[in-house]
Amino acid sequence: MSESAGTILLLGTPQPLMRSFLSMQYRLLEVEDISHLRRIMERIMTVELVLVSAASAEKAENLKEAIHELRNVEPLLPILLDCPGLYFEDRLLYFDRGVSYIFSYPLDVREVRLMVQKYIAHARSLNERMSRFHAVQKELNIATLVQKSLYPQEIKSGAIRFTYIHQPYYLLGGDLFEFISLDDGKAALFLLDVSGHGFSASLITMAIRTLLRGLAMKVTDPATVMKELNSHLCRLFFRLPDTMFVSCMYVVVDISAGTMEYANAGHPNGYVLDTEADILHCLRSTSLPLGIIETNRHETKKLAVGKTGRLMLMTDGVYEKGNDPEGNAKRIERLTKVFRSSDYRELDPLQMQLKQEIQKEHPIREDDYTMLLLEWGEGNERR
């Protein structure tokens, strides 16, 4: 018998003709005590087909539980039934329970050979596909761990505190965010959302990350950073078969000077709260998204901020739920109300409440979502 011969699990007592024929071409594994079936299947990984044999319809009834157990343990494993005297309705019931094929009577060796070969070949094809799937899944899990390792940690630098809420649509996400400590006590916050989600979007964020950090350390003007990123993305997207673009928000906070500079390239509005004056500023879009046209004009906006304040940035996955502009606007309103509330004087409880609000609206995710929270003021240094 060759190494490529398949292994068939026998349940019940097959007819002598069936047993004799199969034993010449396949390895047969007989199970007499079906109460141990689950343990046997978990330990033996080479079974490619199951043959359930019964001398009559009444005896086949005793093997129903075994068929059910097999389907629970190995949902894709072919199960062939050898049982004379089954009525049409009985055959339908067995098919419904997960039996792949029922032999006809009188038994024909040609039919046995053809069906066994067919279903073993099918099982091997499925096993090969599943092996490839698991290999890809393993690679995706590794890529997910790499991507997560690059996320910024909650950061407290001087009087600044930073945290975030992030959930990719699948294992990998197309949202990129960074907190960067700059010279002279400045801090930069960056949030980017690649169109679509999944593996391709995550690869683009990885390509941008290194470029972004290098730019931020050399250039502090948000519009200049946007211009460089846009030029890079236009060249990258030109070579891709599908149309892609990137919405982006870049903010530089200078607490000592009491100023904030930002550029918004087609990204959802950001919100700045002056907690002393209780004034909420809106950081609206100042240009088209990145990667569409290289002549895209970018503008740096500047505003004064108080000694204590908060900043909230988000991607559209935080509030979008289908094609519902009115509902999206209401969800943004509820989020900004929580953000502005004096009930959450510290960042941790604010983050927790915002997370609950997002998850309440999105029990089933439709996109990646990210929310960044930055807080500044003398109170943070004492925490």
Side-chain angles (χ1 to χ4, degrees):
M1 190 176 296
S2 68
E3 289 295 322
S4 61
T7 300
I8 298 177
L9 182 71
L10 300 180
L11 294 180
T13 307
Q15 296 184 54
L17 176 64
M18 177 83 80
R19 183 196 296 274
S20 175
F21 172 76
L22 293 178
S23 64
M24 289 189 292
Q25 300 184 56
Y26 304 99
R27 288 184 288 269
L28 304 182
L29 177 63
E30 296 190 54
V31 178
E32 296 180 359
D33 187 353
I34 63 173
S35 63
H36 297 152
L37 185 60
R38 177 180 285 271
R39 290 175 59 190
I40 292 170
M41 292 302 297
E42 288 173 349
R43 293 181 182 182
I44 300 173
M45 308 300 292
T46 58
V47 173
E48 295 175 316
L49 183 143
V50 177
L51 175 63
V52 179
S53 298
S56 64
E58 291 75 17
K59 291 188 176 181
E61 285 287 321
N62 299 327
L63 296 172
K64 282 183 180 178
E65 186 61 34
I67 294 172
H68 178 73
E69 190 75 4
L70 280 168
R71 273 289 158 258
N72 287 337
V73 178
E74 290 288 346
L76 301 178
L77 191 64
I79 301 175
L80 277 55
L81 178 61
D82 166 29
C83 179
L86 287 178
Y87 291 109
F88 179 75
E89 293 80 3
D90 295 327
R91 297 169 75 91
L92 290 179
L93 286 173
Y94 279 106
F95 284 132
D96 190 52
R97 291 189 181 101
V99 170
S100 308
Y101 185 79
I102 300 175
F103 289 105
S104 56
Y105 270 81
L107 200 62
D108 187 330
V109 172
R110 291 170 298 180
E111 180 189 7
V112 173
R113 180 176 63 248
L114 181 64
M115 290 300 107
V116 170
Q117 287 177 347
K118 172 186 173 180
Y119 281 101
I120 283 184
H122 182 63
R124 288 177 178 176
S125 175
L126 279 177
N127 287 336
E128 186 179 342
R129 292 178 191 177
M130 290 301 294
S131 295
R132 289 200 297 265
F133 171 78
H134 289 310
V136 171
Q137 190 76 18
K138 183 178 179 181
E139 294 298 321
L140 282 174
N141 288 335
I142 293 171
T144 301
L145 292 174
V146 171
Q147 189 177 55
K148 286 182 177 179
S149 71
L150 297 173
Y151 292 164
Q153 300 298 313
E154 286 193 340
I155 296 171
K156 182 177 179 182
S157 176
I160 295 177
R161 180 173 171 164
F162 163 71
T163 190
Y164 61 87
I165 303 165
H166 174 66
Q167 181 63 59
Y169 174 73
Y170 187 51
L171 292 174
L172 296 166
D175 291 353
L176 170 64
F177 53 102
E178 280 284 359
F179 173 92
I180 305 170
S181 294
L182 304 174
D183 295 333
D184 303 323
K186 296 179 181 179
L189 200 58
F190 181 89
L191 180 57
L192 174 151
D193 184 5
V194 179
S195 58
H197 41 252
F199 193 64
S200 58
S202 71
L203 281 177
I204 291 169
T205 65
M206 299 286 277
I208 294 171
R209 186 181 296 274
T210 304
L211 174 67
L212 170 67
R213 276 198 161 271
L215 278 173
M217 300 309 291
K218 289 190 230 176
V219 183
T220 57
D221 176 48
T224 305
V225 172
M226 290 290 194
K227 182 180 177 182
E228 290 293 328
L229 276 177
N230 183 61
S231 178
H232 175 79
L233 289 170
C234 282
R235 291 195 298 271
L236 174 63
F237 292 165
F238 179 75
R239 299 192 292 268
L240 299 181
D242 297 324
T243 301
M244 299 191 77
F245 60 89
V246 171
S247 71
C248 180
M249 175 83 83
Y250 188 76
V251 180
V252 177
V253 182
D254 187 344
I255 297 173
S256 59
T259 60
M260 175 180 290
E261 295 181 331
Y262 73 94
N264 183 340
H267 200 75
N269 297 336
Y271 297 92
V272 180
L273 176 65
D274 183 333
T275 51
E276 286 185 319
D278 192 28
I279 298 174
L280 187 69
H281 302 277
C282 184
L283 311 184
R284 302 184 188 280
S285 179
T286 57
S287 71
L288 292 172
L290 307 180
I292 298 177
I293 53 172
E294 199 152 357
T295 55
N296 195 357
R297 291 189 175 185
H298 305 279
E299 181 184 358
T300 296
K301 293 283 189 178
K302 188 172 182 178
L303 58 91
V305 294
K307 293 181 179 180
T308 61
R310 290 174 177 167
L311 169 66
M312 177 174 69
L313 306 181
M314 69 184 88
T315 58
D316 55 13
V318 167
Y319 58 84
E320 279 193 351
K321 194 173 182 181
N323 187 20
D324 181 18
E326 186 177 342
N328 294 339
K330 289 180 179 179
R331 282 184 280 275
I332 293 173
E333 185 180 346
R334 285 196 293 271
L335 290 168
T336 53
K337 184 178 180 181
V338 173
F339 173 69
R340 190 172 186 172
S341 173
S342 59
D343 294 340
Y344 310 104
R345 298 184 180 278
E346 296 185 359
L347 209 55
D348 287 343
L350 174 64
Q351 178 200 31
M352 187 178 300
Q353 185 60 36
L354 286 168
K355 189 173 184 178
Q356 290 177 0
E357 193 72 30
I358 295 169
Q359 290 175 341
K360 181 174 67 176
E361 293 291 345
H362 292 281
I364 299 175
R365 296 192 305 276
E366 299 176 5
D367 194 2
D368 310 317
Y369 66 75
T370 303
M371 176 179 282
L372 307 184
L373 296 168
L374 189 72
E375 186 181 54
W376 62 89
E378 295 178 359
N380 288 328
E381 292 182 304
R382 295 193 295 268
R383 288 183 196 143

